[in-house]
Amino acid sequence: MKNILPGIIYFLACTLSTRAQALFGTTSLGGNGGGTVNKFITATNNLTVAHPFESIPHTPGDFIQANDGKLYGVAGGGKNNDGVIFSFDPLSATYAKLHDFDTASGAGPAGRLLQASDGKLYGMTSDGGSHNDGVIFSFDPSSSVYTKLKDFDRVNDGGDPSGGLIQASDGKLYGTTFSGGGGDYGVIFSFDPLSFTYTKLREFNLNDNEGASPWGSLVQASDGKLYGTTYSTSFFWPFGGAGVIFSFDISSSTYTNLKTFAFSDGAFPTGALLQATNGKLYGMTNASGTDFESGQTDDPGYGVLFSFDPSSSTYAIVKNFDSTDGISPHGHLIQASDGKLYGMTSDGGSSSNGVIFSFDPSDSTYTKLKDFDNANGGKPNGSLIQASNGKLYGMTSYGGTGDIIYGNFKGAGIIFSLDSPSFIYTTLKDFGNDEEGNMVSARMVQASNGKLYGMTVAGGSNGVGVIFSLDPSSSTYTKLKDFDVTKGNNPYGSLIQASDGKLYGMTFNGGNRDSGVIFSFDPSSSIYTKLKDFNNTDGGRPYGSLLQAGNGKLFGMTTAGGSNGFGVIFSLDLLAGAYTRLKNFDLSGGGIPYGSLIRATDGKLYGLTSNYGGNAGGGTIFLFDPVTFNYTVLKSFDNTNGGNPVGSLMQADDGNLYGMTGSGGSNFDGVIFSFNPASRIYTKLLDFDSSNGAYPMGNLMQANDGKLYGMTSAGGSNNAGVIFSFDPSTSTYSKLENFDGTNGAKPYLGSGFIEVLESGPLPVTLISFTGKNSGNYNMLSWQAGNEQNLNYYELQRSIDGQNFAEISQIKAAGNNNYSYRDNIGSLVSSLCYYRLKSVDKDGIFKYSIVLEIRKERNGFAGVSPNPFKDNLVINVESFSRDKVIFIITDISGKQLYKENKLLSSGTNVVEINETRRLSKGPYLLTIIASQQKQSIKIIKGN
């Protein structure tokens, strides 16, 4: 319980006897896919999710336009990080996530969707299912019902499909898999959506040298045959062939190799073919062409745009891609209404992020229309679509305002439109912009107002992280600040509260040199101030947190920069604003520290380096004197006793320093260790062994019960990490909980717990607490009791009775009467819950009982006539302007009629003309408005 402000100590001491011990921690994954804030009760080992973060959908591919006018596609990310199905309405520019994939029912959606003749969307995943080889699925856009139709079995059926499905003239669906079958080089198959019959039609293999590993989708040409390409001919580049163009006759099951790519004329096609109006097939290869250098295995060329005439088997290169006009296309071409072909490349152009282009087959004119520049999207791996409004729509796999890194690329991708013939480019949806924020790396801090404060690495309005608060008593989450590139983004460390009451932290990216910044944030005014731009000379890319030493200065470390490039130790004088580089990390003394400094009881600063230092290069424990600036290596890790620590040290009540290493030890899964700063004796206390946890990346903390608590990023029953305790007095290790995805997963760099001592609601002393509804607002009134030392009341509202949010703060004024008018006209809920939180001048707070106030409801006066013949008249008294849904079902519940109407405030008469739709008999009319629902029995007469 060290380094806590006096107000907090008094708060804990006054309430310790009535409060239960709870630990709050964070994970980077799980929950809704974007990580969690967790609450762990040590007395019962009860783990709950206080707040789940949503994972950003990312790297989208192709669109289709369904018969409802909406665009549908698939992307990565989502609740389970296994991908999502989503829609985008081009009229309203509205994005909606429709389905989260999971391992059991299919993961990693591949290729584009298909809308079949039954109106359903069909597609495939490359992973998941019973054999983890992918699945065939359907999704009904009218009911949002997802159905797994077929589990791929790699050995028998094929597996890992990369393309999409097509529906041929016989009504069946056809597709290919990238691998599987007897030779493990993929298959051609059919699937009957009526009988759910899967048929393997042909296996690709090495013996016939006629193609292997098809990547793209098939196409049915005007001659009735299916045409496609394979990514390889035998082995992959540079050892074997570069793919083929083939046909498959579904009437005779005849496979024909039509063209073998020879590298110089193209190699490795990944998209589908297109049959243009001139009868020729057009496609693209991902590599080779005239830039191919024979025998140069590291120069596969840039790819080509080609034509193939199926009537004469004539192949022709119509465009060699180059770095200026775009290179390495992955998607397929489309032919727009103007007769031109349109496509995208994944690389090249002015910013090496790909281009949009057109190709006129009538005169072979190639035109670059748009250079992607990452900010407006980059690296498209999919294709364009021309919607019914004439515009071209597409998606990029990366880029946008979001700065989170996927592989080697930044941003999560965007949806865009290209207006023809003006070719005006418009960004419509940035996948990196998750307003709330997601992926928490480090632990939170409790400020003097009792709230917990933390940061996310990604998400927010700019896609690069946010500052947030969490009320530990109500689990109310509030976004306080959106990071941006100019003032700093992507924070991986924790905040600290300094003696001036402000919160201080660092970001990994952003600022004038894009090397991160130091900033302050005032929780009382929400004012954010950038204090320092890191640069290569002073240090850059900090992962850890700041520390305020006894002299009032802030101390910290960076992972990069300095004279040796391995990071620095620095100080920042808050009064003078002076930044001083104090130590350059180097090879011998250790470098690249991911954790933070701590101040021990001897006044010295201690820390860990993750790399270099010592004979084994496994990192070090070091001491830094903030007065003399002397740096001393105390221990070099040699992997046997642990290696590569990425967290921080902590000092326990026994005076020893405790920490963890990310690897090394007997099982190479990391260790828990202690270090005595007086005797400088290092002791390995525990070897992680995967079953009890593995690869800890965070920090330990000592709770009120004397035990050390921590988390690992892997291992445990689900290999998603564990929560554990370690008793330093008995050297007893206990695995307390396995992360399973639902409750969080993979606690990341700097993760750890903070202890909050709390209880259930303590009653506020009130003489009365009443409220009533008065139209578009609720009037709350209360009279205070004899509350001593009271500072203010916080009025909180909830629409579900569980998740309360602050709506107002009212300054306390003795035993006065208080009132508050809460405007609720925009709320859809008819029932509101309220409670008062009283906060005294020492930060101690209590809660009142929960008050329920019901909003005036819409009234349904009934229907006439009943029984009715053709016209049904419904009288609706609407409290406000409202959208009302009218549904007629039969007695079994089958929906027969549905209509939406926008009603005005007051009395509305709705007439339904039902002529000859329903047969004679009883039915059920259901009326839904503002989350109200009423059902009335109606009878259709003669």
Side-chain angles (χ1 to χ4, degrees), residues 275-437:
Q275 187 171 36
T277 52
N278 61 10
K280 293 181 181 180
L281 301 176
Y282 288 85
M284 299 181 288
T285 68
N286 182 247
S288 290
T290 56
D291 292 309
F292 167 70
E293 296 181 19
S294 179
Q296 298 296 313
T297 59
D298 59 347
D299 186 9
Y302 293 144
V304 305
L305 192 158
F306 64 85
S307 68
F308 182 82
D309 191 332
S311 61
S312 62
S313 296
T314 302
Y315 175 89
I317 296 176
V318 296
K319 166 68 179 176
N320 277 283
F321 289 107
D322 58 57
S323 58
T324 301
D325 288 340
I327 61 176
S328 302
H330 285 285
H332 59 267
L333 298 161
I334 66 164
Q335 187 168 30
S337 55
D338 60 4
K340 295 180 181 180
L341 310 184
Y342 290 85
M344 300 185 287
T345 70
S346 66
D347 207 336
S350 60
S351 300
S352 297
N353 279 284
V355 308
I356 303 173
F357 66 85
S358 69
F359 178 81
D360 192 332
S362 64
D363 58 10
S364 297
T365 301
Y366 178 95
T367 305
K368 183 175 68 170
L369 303 174
K370 171 70 179 177
D371 286 285
F372 292 109
D373 61 9
N374 197 70
N376 65 19
K379 308 293 183 182
N381 285 328
S383 311
L384 297 164
I385 183 174
Q386 186 172 36
S388 54
N389 59 9
K391 293 183 181 181
L392 303 180
Y393 290 85
M395 297 180 282
T396 66
S397 296
Y398 302 99
T401 59
D403 203 26
I404 190 167
I405 297 174
Y406 294 94
N408 296 320
F409 307 111
K410 290 184 177 181
I414 57 104
I415 298 173
F416 66 85
S417 68
L418 190 70
D419 195 353
S420 179
S422 63
F423 300 120
I424 295 174
Y425 179 93
T426 306
T427 298
L428 302 173
K429 159 72 178 176
D430 193 325
F431 285 98
N433 290 354
D434 170 26
E435 288 295 323
E436 184 182 77

Side-chain angles (χ1 to χ4, degrees), residues 513-787:
R513 302 294 181 87
D514 196 27
S515 294
V517 307
I518 303 173
F519 66 87
S520 69
F521 181 80
D522 192 332
S524 62
S525 63
S526 295
I527 294 176
Y528 175 96
T529 305
K530 182 175 69 170
L531 305 174
K532 164 69 180 177
D533 287 286
F534 286 110
N535 56 55
N536 192 55
T537 302
D538 289 340
R541 309 291 185 191
Y543 269 102
S545 309
L546 295 164
L547 162 77
Q548 187 171 35
N551 59 10
K553 293 182 179 179
L554 302 182
F555 288 80
M557 301 186 289
T558 70
T559 62
S563 58
N564 303 308
F566 299 118
V568 306
I569 299 175
F570 66 85
S571 69
L572 181 69
D573 190 324
L574 293 179
L575 296 178
Y579 176 94
T580 306
R581 181 176 43 150
L582 304 173
K583 160 69 181 176
N584 293 289
F585 288 107
D586 54 41
L587 284 173
S588 60
I592 313 181
Y594 286 95
S596 310
L597 296 166
I598 67 160
R599 184 187 182 208
T601 52
D602 61 7
K604 305 292 195 302
L605 307 183
Y606 292 83
L608 301 167
T609 65
S610 64
N611 288 292
Y612 310 113
N615 296 327
T620 66
I621 302 174
F622 67 84
L623 174 153
F624 184 79
D625 192 321
V627 177
T628 65
F629 305 147
N630 288 332
Y631 178 91
T632 306
V633 175
L634 303 175
K635 169 69 180 177
S636 295
F637 291 102
D638 60 9
N639 290 316
T640 300
N641 60 20
N644 304 116
V646 293
S648 305
L649 296 165
M650 58 84 56
Q651 187 170 35
D653 291 339
D654 60 10
N656 289 330
L657 306 180
Y658 290 85
M660 302 180 287
T661 68
S663 61
S666 300
N667 307 301
F668 303 101
D669 290 327
V671 308
I672 300 175
F673 66 84
S674 68
F675 183 83
N676 188 312
S679 65
R680 300 192 175 180
I681 294 176
Y682 174 93
T683 306
K684 182 176 71 172
L685 302 172
L686 176 89
D687 287 288
F688 288 104
D689 63 8
S690 188
S691 64
N692 66 6
Y695 311 140
M697 303 182 75
N699 310 313
L700 296 166
M701 62 84 63
Q702 187 170 32
N704 191 58
D705 60 8
K707 295 180 182 179
L708 309 182
Y709 289 86
M711 297 177 281
T712 68
S713 65
S717 301
N718 307 298
N719 198 31
V722 307
I723 298 173
F724 66 84
S725 68
F726 182 83
D727 192 330
S729 63
T730 63
S731 295
T732 303
Y733 177 91
S734 300
K735 184 176 74 171
L736 304 176
E737 182 68 48
N738 293 286
F739 288 111
D740 60 13
T742 302
N743 60 15
K746 307 288 184 181
Y748 198 49
L749 293 169
S751 58
F753 288 111
I754 181 171
E755 185 175 32
V756 177
L757 303 178
E758 57 171 24
S759 72
L762 299 174
V764 174
T765 303
L766 293 173
I767 297 174
S768 64
F769 183 27
T770 60
K772 66 177 181 177
N773 177 261
S774 300
N776 285 325
Y777 61 90
N778 290 331
M779 180 61 71
L780 288 306
S781 302
W782 65 95
Q783 185 177 358
N786 189 23
E787 291 280 346

Side-chain angles (χ1 to χ4, degrees), residues 111 130 142 151 159 181 185 220 271 274 280 342 378 403 531 578 586 627 732 744 754 770 796 806 887 917:
S130 300
S142 63
D151 288 287
Y185 287 95
Q220 188 172 33
L274 161 77
K280 293 181 181 180
Y342 290 85
D403 203 26
L531 305 174
D586 54 41
V627 177
T732 303
I754 181 171
T770 60
Q796 300 177 347
E806 175 187 341
I887 301 173
R917 294 184 186 178

